[in-house]
């Protein structure tokens, strides 16, 4: 990176301008050499710190910063097995999301997904390699092919799914379903006497907020189902018969603001299909404006680029809980100090996330008020 580092206020203004900007991405137009360079000026690429236990691809931001477990590419180490060469091959996988004022508005992973206080990193697209795209959250941590393949547990396509299991694996899956049914309804109760609406019982409440979406390849239309319906269909397939009585239909998704969307289709979108991914996201937002949704972009960052990949730390304030705001700010300050990066914030009460010319990002000088290092204004 260059010797000159923009001040915090200059960075906040430049990122806010990118958030307002959008030209259409055309891979055949060589004005931009790649999707990564296009995203340098169009919209914002970010990742939220998640309250997960250090699992890749999420960042924890509780003092670990970019301490994501590195992994090497599949296949053989062609070079040699010396540590130095191996280091070059180490890649960090990051699940990110992209926002732009007129296309998505300001949206980040948030409740009903319990992520903890809203703190994240604004990424430098050119320091990353985009692997694949999804128009909504795609649970990439549970997908094959480093987040770009089918869900590992998908009954047909997943590496840990029923169709790919050996005979004893299939037997085990069936046994688990029988055990679940017997513990809930007793050994003697007939499957078809259990209404589907009761089959999953109170466990259904744990994932009732996720609405699962798939794209119909013929006409690019979305179909949606509740998680409970998806589980009942999968388990019925494994058992080879209906596991409950379908005469009473399951409740359909309500698409309100306590629901969030998860894409469960087997395929991801390639970087050159960026506009197609955005169109699908816009369709969802148009049809269901109240539901929580965000796109998901799987990135690789090489070990030597990890520091360059983060432009700034940011936190979100103006939510309903001032204590949560304060906690987000405190985590943001410690994260910015640790990474020596500027700290920005987004105020949800401010009109800037609506279609105005005001800057979305503001500068918080707290991390460097005692020492001016690291890009304070």
């Amino acid at each position: 990176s260059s010797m000159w580092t923009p001040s915090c206020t200059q960075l906040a203004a430049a990122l806010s301008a990118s958030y307002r900007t959008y030209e259409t991405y055309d891979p055949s137009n060589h004005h931009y050499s790649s999707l990564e360079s296009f995203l340098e000026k169009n919209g914002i690429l970010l990742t939220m710190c998640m309250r997960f236990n250090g699992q890749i691809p999420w960042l924890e931001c509780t003092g670990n910063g970019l301490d994501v477990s590195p992994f090497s590419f599949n296949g053989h180490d062609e070079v040699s097995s010396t540590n130095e060469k191996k280091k070059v091959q180490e890649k960090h996988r990051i699940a990110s999301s992209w926002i732009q004022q007129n296309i998505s508005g300001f949206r980040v992973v948030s409740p009903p997904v319990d992520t903890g206080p809203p703190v994240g990193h604004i990424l430098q697209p050119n320091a990353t390699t985009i692997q694949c795209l999804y128009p909504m959250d795609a649970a990439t941590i549970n997908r094959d092919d480093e987040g770009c393949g089918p869900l590992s547990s998908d009954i047909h396509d997943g590496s840990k799914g029923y169709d790919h299991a050996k005979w004893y694996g299939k037997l085990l899956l069936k046994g688990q379903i029988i055990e679940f049914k017997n513990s809930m309804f007793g050994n003697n109760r007939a499957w078809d006497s259990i209404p589907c609406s009761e089959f999953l019982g109170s466990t259904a409440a744990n994932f009732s907020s996720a609405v699962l979406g798939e794209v119909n390849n013929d006409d690019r239309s979305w179909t949606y189902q509740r998680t409970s319906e998806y589980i009942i269909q999968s388990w019925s397939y494994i058992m080879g018969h209906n596991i409950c009585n379908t005469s009473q239909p399951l409740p359909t998704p309500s698409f309100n603001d306590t629901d969030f969307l998860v894409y469960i289709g087997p395929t991801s979108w390639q970087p050159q299909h960026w506009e197609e991914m955005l169109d699908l996201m816009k369709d969802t937002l148009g049809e269901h404006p109240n539901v929580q949704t965000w796109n998901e972009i799987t990135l690789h960052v090489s070990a030597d680029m990890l520091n360059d990949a983060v432009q700034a730390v940011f936190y979100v304030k103006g939510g309903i809980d001032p204590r949560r705001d304060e906690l987000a700010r405190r985590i943001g300050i410690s994260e910015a100090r640790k990474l020596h990066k500027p700290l920005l914030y987004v105020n949800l009460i401010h009109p800037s996330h609506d279609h105005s010319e005001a800057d979305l990002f503001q500068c918080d000088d707290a991390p460097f008020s005692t020492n001016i290092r690291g890009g304070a204004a």
Side-chain angles (χ1 to χ4, degrees), residues 106-126:
F106 181 76
R107 53 183 64 243
V108 295
V109 182
S110 54
V113 181
D114 182 18
T115 53
V119 181
H121 293 167
I122 295 169
L123 302 174
Q124 181 91 47
N126 271 337

Side-chain angles (χ1 to χ4, degrees), residues 276-326:
E276 184 186 317
M277 181 279 283
L278 283 192
D279 285 343
L280 286 162
M281 181 184 169
K282 286 190 262 192
D283 291 347
T284 307
L285 289 170
E287 285 170 38
H288 307 294
N290 298 326
V291 74
Q292 303 287 338
T293 184
W294 42 82
N295 53 53
E296 188 166 353
I297 298 165
T298 300
L299 313 168
H300 283 172
V301 180
S302 61
D304 56 343
M305 290 297 277
L306 275 176
N307 194 45
D308 294 345
V310 178
Q311 297 194 65
V313 176
F314 78 102
Y315 64 92
V316 183
K317 69 178 197 177
I320 42 179
D321 180 359
R323 286 168 312 179
R324 190 178 161 91
D325 283 3
E326 188 47 42

Side-chain angles (χ1 to χ4, degrees), residues 57-258:
W58 302 106
L59 305 180
E60 262 202 305
C61 296
T62 49
N64 306 355
L66 276 163
D67 188 14
V68 238
S69 339
F71 63 86
S72 298
F73 278 111
N74 296 343
H76 305 289
D77 188 340
E78 297 294 341
V79 205
S80 81
S81 58
T82 65
N83 280 345
E84 221 27 61
K85 296 251 171 75
K86 206 156 177 249
K87 262 199 191 117
V88 179
Q89 285 203 314
E90 280 182 346
K91 297 280 172 188
H92 296 248
R93 173 171 131 211
I94 295 175
S96 68
S97 195
W98 178 87
I99 57 171
Q100 195 278 336
Q101 188 175 59
N102 302 320
I103 294 172
S104 63
F106 181 76
R107 53 183 64 243
V108 295
V109 182
S110 54
V113 181
D114 182 18
T115 53
V119 181
H121 293 167
I122 295 169
L123 302 174
Q124 181 91 47
N126 271 337
T128 73
T129 308
I130 294 174
Q131 301 298 312
C132 59
L133 321 165
Y134 297 94
M136 56 181 66
D137 192 310
T140 55
I141 200 166
N142 300 318
R143 285 182 178 268
D144 292 335
D145 305 329
E146 293 171 4
C148 292
L151 289 164
S152 313
S153 61
D154 183 285
I155 49 174
H156 303 302
D157 302 306
S159 60
K160 299 184 178 119
Y162 184 77
D163 284 356
H164 287 159
K166 302 261 196 306
W167 65 267
Y168 49 85
K170 292 186 162 149
L171 218 55
L172 195 67
L173 284 165
K174 283 188 164 147
Q176 287 168 338
I177 296 169
I178 293 168
E179 201 178 311
F180 176 85
K181 175 252 174 193
N182 290 347
S183 70
M184 296 277 286
F185 303 99
N187 299 18
N188 301 326
R189 178 106 182 243
W191 297 90
D192 63 4
S193 73
I194 306 165
C196 286
S197 55
E198 285 172 33
F199 187 85
L200 293 170
S202 58
T203 48
N206 297 341
F207 41 66
S208 59
S209 57
V211 176
L212 309 180
E214 276 196 87
V215 176
N216 177 341
N217 286 329
D218 300 330
D219 62 357
R220 314 304 297 157
S221 64
W222 284 100
T223 51
Y224 298 101
Q225 59 184 156
R226 283 244 168 253
T227 316
S228 45
E229 193 182 345
Y230 173 74
I231 292 173
I232 286 167
Q233 279 174 3
S234 302
W235 287 7
S236 296
Y237 175 82
I238 290 168
M239 294 306 297
H241 61 76
N242 280 339
I243 58 169
C244 53
N245 190 319
T246 54
S247 59
Q248 283 183 316
L250 285 161
T252 52
S254 54
F255 299 106
N256 57 32
D257 59 5
T258 56

Side-chain angles (χ1 to χ4, degrees), residues 302-365:
S302 61
D304 56 343
M305 290 297 277
L306 275 176
N307 194 45
D308 294 345
V310 178
Q311 297 194 65
V313 176
F314 78 102
Y315 64 92
V316 183
K317 69 178 197 177
I320 42 179
D321 180 359
R323 286 168 312 179
R324 190 178 161 91
D325 283 3
E326 188 47 42
L327 189 56
R329 181 168 188 255
R330 285 215 302 268
I331 295 171
I333 289 171
S334 80
E335 189 69 3
R337 282 185 178 148
K338 193 173 67 248
L339 297 177
H340 295 293
K341 299 290 178 180
L343 179 63
L344 309 176
Y345 66 87
V346 172
N347 189 346
L348 294 180
I349 299 169
H350 199 281
S352 58
H353 59 285
D354 263 353
H355 311 293
S356 79
E357 289 301 303
D359 280 355
L360 177 70
F361 295 104
Q362 308 294 323
C363 224
D364 184 330
D365 280 334

